[in-house]
Amino acid sequence: MNKLLMEENDRLQKQVSQLVCENGYMKQQLHTLQPSAATTDASCDPVVSSSTTQQSMRDANSPAGFLSIAEETLAEFLSKATGTAVDWVQMPGMKPGPDSVGIFAISQSCSGVAARACGLVSLEPTKIAEILKDRPSWFRDCRSLEVFTMFPAGNGGTIELVYTQTYAPTTLAPARDFWTLRYTTTLENGSLVVCERSLSGSGTGPNAAAAAQFVRAEMRPSGYLIRPCEGGGSIIHIVDHLNLEAWSVPEVLRPLYESSKVVAQKMTIAALRYIRQIAQETSGEVVYGLGRQPAVLRTFSQRLSRGFNDAVNGFNDDGWSVLNCDGAEDVIIAVSSTKNFSGTSNPASSLTFLGGILCAKASMLLQNIPPAVLVRFLREHRSEWADFNVDAYSAASLKSGSYAYPGMRPTRFTGNQTIMSLGHTIEHQEMLEVIRLEGHSLAQEDAFASRDVHLLQLCSGIDENAVGACSELIFAPIDEMFPDDAPLLPSGFRIIPLDSKPGDKKDSMTGSQTLDLTSGFEVGPTTNGARDAVSCHSARSVLTIAFQFPFDSSLQDNVAIMARQYIRSVISSVQRVAMAISPSGINPAVGSKLSPGSPEALTLANWICCSYSYYLGAELLRSDSLIGESVLKHLWHHQDAILCCSLKSVPVFIFANQAGLDMLETTLVALQDITLDKIFDESGRKALFADFAKLMQQGFAYLPAGICMSTMGRHVSFEQAIAWKVLAEEDNSVHCLAFSFVNWSFV
């Protein structure tokens, strides 16, 4: 009898809650209709009243209307999860088998992007639903999820109104948010269902000011169907169906927002993997290093990912503001006004910065390089792209009051990098590790002191066969004995493949265009036929880099200059590495087509030599019998430094022979980031400007002996410099300017 009374009391409480909601709704409707009634023609009153009555049951603000929407969402979701409402095809590269986490499918032809998964998990349905509803814990792109209201559905279920914010994966597109209704209920067969869909209207949802940096996306009926198994555990069906409003991003990025494979990897497969991971940790099957508990290591991974996403997105409500960005700058410098930074929930572990945090970030397009291959190389060969002194500065800055910039103690990196594994996910698609970089001070007074730097690092997406998967390398300096609540300031790389569909167009950018996507978003005219995505590794990918530095307020300008220079150096190094390890042997950089041996380089070499002969009446290569590749070969190995720059308001170098690269101490890939005026000192610039009119009028000019500078800041002397216009043979138009520095040497 007591049990029956408790059940009846619970039923009545739910009924009262529903009546209270309906009463509040009716009051709101009456308040809304009263002003309009005074100004409406009496003949229209019955129509208005009738229409309002008919719509109230379906209105998105009515509890009864919410229940109607919930039931519709449930029916549509079930038709996708177990039926054929969507034309499903097997996810490429995810064949079912004994080692597979589950069975995965993507939509072939439907509105929006959709993915589906089915798998067996050794957890009870209620536990699975609890985990999956906490989306920020497993969906790395989820910034926040807030339940604004919740009320019973009258049938044992619950209805929630949910506002969700997700991160943008690059610096080139705005983030997304969702305003949804989430319905949790139990079916007659005992299955537990959590289904969700967007509520109509872009203006609905919470505070509009908080959502100003987001584009409202649409979630179509999606969710989880969880069926209990007799022997324990559950069978789970997952459906994600979204419209990510691809129109709001640059055209070159739209494949990222129109790819069901990307949604499958980021959400559907990630959800099932996370549930399986929790199940194995609960059963004690997973063993981790350094005595850390699985939940602690999982939290470290989440904090590294979240901190990197915060840096890439730079939301205003986190205190971020952009410094001196006019839209033309390739590297974005942003500053967070946050004075206390911890990255933890424990105030005792927070660090107090008198200034704040500075972030340097950029995004660019790469070609013909698998993201997994590049990230694996960056992980294993840190010395190829990183500056140990910058790592040491970041590590030292984590200790309160130890700001060492400017005037950092010079430290030598020994080249030894030790990787200590902390743990990995069940399919090794994500690894958490501690990196120890060995260093020694170059100062005589403490030459024997250790300057080792320790980094907590998260590496993911290094499986080359994972179609649509994002590859990341995220790291943060830590103390050698880092506690569980250690503050983290993550930096790193993210590489996302751009899914190429049949009939899509590939990039065919000219050599004068830069690698960063902010300078040009059009896709070139070269067609790309259908092909298997696994074998081609995706022809294009987007690389996003973000590095964070704490600073004292008095050193903000110094740190900003250092950060901008450093990230440009990292970009150049990554481009060089990408070109070297590209499996096709093709330069993966969009903007550099003038690699030695390319048709463009052969053509340019002929134009350089012919134009030199035309204007100066002499042979540049001292032989008129050279043809074809021999011209380029002799030009490439010429003793004088020969460089070509574009004819723009700010001339940028587009080609150099080996001597030219040696003189500037740069690479062919990084050359395009160097402007003509940067290599001359003040007197050199004056001499160039004085003779520029003569150069353009008569086609050539002689510059007197002088001094120029390499990209490393070293002075270079030359006996004479010759400048001439390079003409295109087809129409005699001026293609670029060429310079020859005679008898150059480092001072």
Side-chain angles (χ1 to χ4, degrees):
M1 180 61 68
N2 184 53
K3 183 178 180 181
L4 289 173
L5 288 173
M6 291 176 65
E7 290 177 352
E8 178 66 12
N9 183 54
D10 183 60
R11 185 186 67 79
L12 290 173
Q13 284 184 344
K14 292 179 179 178
Q15 186 175 353
V16 168
S17 298
Q18 184 171 350
L19 290 172
V20 169
C21 290
E22 291 179 350
N23 183 50
Y25 168 73
M26 294 304 297
K27 286 183 178 180
Q28 182 181 0
Q29 288 295 103
L30 288 172
H31 179 73
T32 304
L33 290 174
Q34 281 177 354
S36 60
T39 58
T40 304
D41 192 335
S43 63
C44 298
D45 287 346
V47 177
V48 173
S49 176
S50 174
S51 175
T52 304
T53 302
Q54 293 173 5
Q55 293 178 7
S56 64
M57 295 300 292
R58 192 63 179 80
D59 193 285
N61 292 320
S62 164
F66 284 141
L67 181 58
S68 176
I69 294 174
E71 294 294 343
E72 287 182 12
T73 304
L74 174 62
E76 290 187 47
F77 160 68
L78 291 176
S79 68
K80 298 175 185 178
T82 59
T84 57
V86 172
D87 185 9
W88 300 109
V89 296
Q90 182 177 296
M91 174 75 175
M94 300 291 290
K95 294 181 180 180
D99 297 328
S100 175
V101 176
I103 302 172
F104 305 100
I106 57 174
S107 60
Q108 188 173 30
S109 56
C110 74
S111 178
V113 289
R116 182 172 73 173
C118 177
L120 177 64
V121 181
S122 58
L123 291 175
E124 295 304 311
T126 53
K127 179 64 175 177
I128 294 174
E130 177 188 343
I131 294 172
L132 291 177
K133 290 175 75 170
D134 183 19
R135 193 173 284 130
S137 68
W138 58 266
F139 181 29
R140 293 292 171 83
D141 282 0
C142 184
R143 184 192 185 212
S144 63
L145 184 149
E146 185 173 357
V147 178
F148 271 74
T149 186
M150 179 177 66
F151 52 87
N155 57 355
T158 58
I159 292 176
E160 301 164 291
L161 300 186
V162 181
Y163 177 65
T164 305
Q165 292 181 345
T166 61
Y167 292 105
T170 75
T171 62
L172 303 169
R176 266 55 182 160
D177 65 353
F178 298 86
W179 177 238
T180 57
L181 178 147
R182 187 166 67 186
Y183 181 37
T184 305
T185 189
T186 303
L187 303 181
E188 293 181 358
N189 63 3
S191 297
L192 182 61
V193 176
V194 180
C195 55
E196 190 172 2
R197 71 172 297 170
S198 285
L199 296 174
S200 61
S202 59
T204 58
N207 186 358
Q213 288 185 275
F214 296 84
V215 170
R216 179 61 51 85
E218 179 188 4
M219 179 182 293
R220 292 171 181 174
S222 307
Y224 320 107
L225 170 62
I226 312 168
R227 294 176 173 172
C229 298
E230 292 184 4
S234 309
I235 295 176
I236 178 172
H237 299 260
I238 303 174
V239 173
D240 292 301
H241 191 177
L242 308 172
N243 176 7
L244 296 173
E245 306 295 344
W247 59 267
S248 63
V249 303
E251 184 178 351
V252 73
L253 289 182
R254 287 179 190 172
L256 181 60
Y257 291 78
E258 296 172 340
S259 172
S260 294
K261 299 170 191 172
V262 173
V263 170
Q265 290 286 359
K266 283 191 172 186
M267 297 184 68
T268 320
I269 298 175
L272 188 53
R273 280 175 172 163
Y274 187 79
I275 293 294
R276 289 284 297 271
Q277 184 77 25
I278 297 296
Q280 290 198 8
E281 291 176 1
T282 304
S283 64
E285 297 178 40
V286 182
V287 179
Y288 288 95
L290 301 184
R292 303 281 178 166
Q293 293 297 318
V296 173
L297 297 181
R298 197 165 57 246
T299 301
F300 272 128
S301 298
Q302 292 166 352
R303 287 173 53 203
L304 283 171
S305 181
R306 183 177 183 84
F308 181 73
N309 276 322
D310 284 334
V312 169
N313 285 260
F315 292 114
N316 294 336
D317 55 357
D318 284 339
W320 289 101
S321 59
V322 176
L323 295 180
N324 303 325
C325 182
D326 58 3
E329 181 61 71
D330 54 342
V331 177
I332 300 172
I333 302 295
V335 172
S336 173
S337 57
T338 305
K339 302 301 181 184
N340 293 321
F341 174 79
S342 66
T344 74
S345 58
N346 181 9
S349 67
S350 65
L351 299 178
T352 301
F353 297 124
L354 300 179
I357 305 164
L358 185 142
C359 178
K361 52 190 175 181
S363 293
M364 64 213 68
L365 194 66
L366 297 177
Q367 281 191 222
N368 302 310
I369 177 70
V373 174
L374 180 55
V375 162
R376 192 160 58 237
F377 186 93
L378 295 176
R379 170 180 175 265
E380 296 171 358
H381 303 277
R382 187 179 183 88
S383 60
E384 291 291 330
W385 56 267
D387 186 332
F388 180 81
N389 285 295
V390 174
D391 288 331
Y393 161 72
S394 298
S397 297
L398 285 179
K399 300 176 181 178
S400 182
S402 63
Y403 298 97
Y405 192 89
M408 293 186 294
R409 288 187 176 183
T411 306
R412 178 177 60 87
F413 177 47
T414 65
N416 294 330
Q417 171 181 306
T418 304
I419 300 178
M420 296 168 283
S421 175
L422 291 177
H424 55 77
T425 51
I426 53 178
E427 292 187 317
H428 292 262
Q429 79 276 2
E430 188 175 281
M431 300 178 292
L432 185 68
E433 49 203 15
V434 172
I435 309 299
R436 181 167 66 91
L437 307 175
E438 294 183 10
H440 296 284
S441 175
L442 294 180
Q444 186 174 359
E445 61 272 15
D446 54 359
F448 297 101
S450 173
R451 297 292 181 187
D452 292 355
V453 171
H454 293 82
L455 304 171
L456 183 65
Q457 181 167 278
L458 179 68
C459 182
S460 61
I462 59 174
D463 180 6
E464 296 179 51
N465 295 319
V467 180
C470 167
S471 300
E472 294 180 332
L473 186 69
I474 303 172
F475 48 87
I478 54 170
D479 188 76
E480 184 176 2
M481 300 299 294
F482 64 102
D484 292 348
D485 57 355
L488 301 177
L489 197 61
S491 302
F493 308 87
R494 171 181 292 145
I495 312 173
I496 311 172
L498 292 175
D499 190 17
S500 297
K501 299 179 181 179
D504 278 355
K505 295 180 178 181
K506 283 181 65 178
D507 278 284
S508 180
M509 297 184 179
T510 63
S512 62
Q513 288 177 293
T514 62
L515 278 168
D516 74 287
L517 296 181
T518 57
S519 63
F521 294 129
E522 292 78 20
V523 179
T526 305
T527 59
N528 178 29
R531 61 185 183 272
D532 180 56
V534 178
S535 61
C536 74
H537 298 287
S538 182
R540 297 175 299 167
S541 55
V542 179
L543 168 64
T544 297
I545 303 176
F547 283 73
Q548 297 191 80
F549 306 91
F551 65 92
D552 185 277
S553 57
S554 62
L555 300 176
Q556 176 176 317
D557 292 342
N558 300 81
V559 176
I561 293 172
M562 180 270 291
R564 181 178 279 107
Q565 292 176 344
Y566 181 57
I567 199 168
R568 283 178 175 164
S569 171
V570 171
I571 289 171
S572 297
S573 299
V574 171
Q575 291 167 356
R576 183 187 69 250
V577 166
M579 180 173 62
I581 66 176
S582 175
S584 63
I586 302 173
N587 186 350
V590 173
S592 182
K593 291 196 169 190
L594 296 175
S595 56
S598 68
E600 294 84 357
L602 289 172
T603 300
L604 182 58
N606 281 295
W607 291 355
I608 292 171
C609 296
C610 291
S611 299
Y612 186 93
S613 301
Y614 175 75
Y615 285 117
L616 288 95
E619 296 298 331
L620 177 63
L621 301 180
R622 297 180 176 86
S623 175
D624 57 359
S625 61
L626 299 176
I627 59 173
E629 293 186 5
S630 59
V631 175
L632 178 58
K633 181 179 179 181
H634 281 73
L635 183 69
W636 182 255
H637 295 290
H638 199 283
Q639 62 181 0
D640 295 335
I642 299 174
L643 304 99
C644 294
C645 68
S646 60
L647 272 175
K648 289 186 174 182
S649 56
V650 181
V652 178
F653 288 110
I654 60 173
F655 177 78
N657 67 350
Q658 187 61 64
L661 297 178
D662 293 341
M663 185 185 78
L664 295 182
E665 294 186 290
T666 187
T667 64
L668 198 58
V669 177
L671 185 70
Q672 62 186 334
D673 294 326
I674 307 171
T675 57
L676 178 61
D677 64 306
K678 295 296 184 183
I679 71 168
F680 290 105
D681 58 13
E682 188 63 29
S683 60
R685 282 193 290 268
K686 288 181 179 179
L688 176 63
F689 295 154
D691 290 329
F692 192 77
K694 183 192 299 183
L695 168 63
M696 298 308 295
Q697 182 177 4
Q698 68 180 25
F700 69 97
Y702 291 96
L703 303 179
I707 300 290
C708 62
M709 289 202 316
S710 76
T711 58
M712 304 302 291
R714 290 210 288 173
H715 289 83
V716 181
S717 65
F718 56 91
E719 291 184 3
Q720 186 185 50
I722 307 171
W724 69 98
K725 293 192 291 187
V726 177
L727 304 179
E729 288 185 357
E730 292 85 354
D731 52 8
N732 275 342
S733 61
V734 181
H735 178 72
C736 61
L737 297 179
F739 293 84
S740 177
F741 293 86
V742 181
N743 293 335
W744 65 272
S745 62
F746 290 109
V747 177

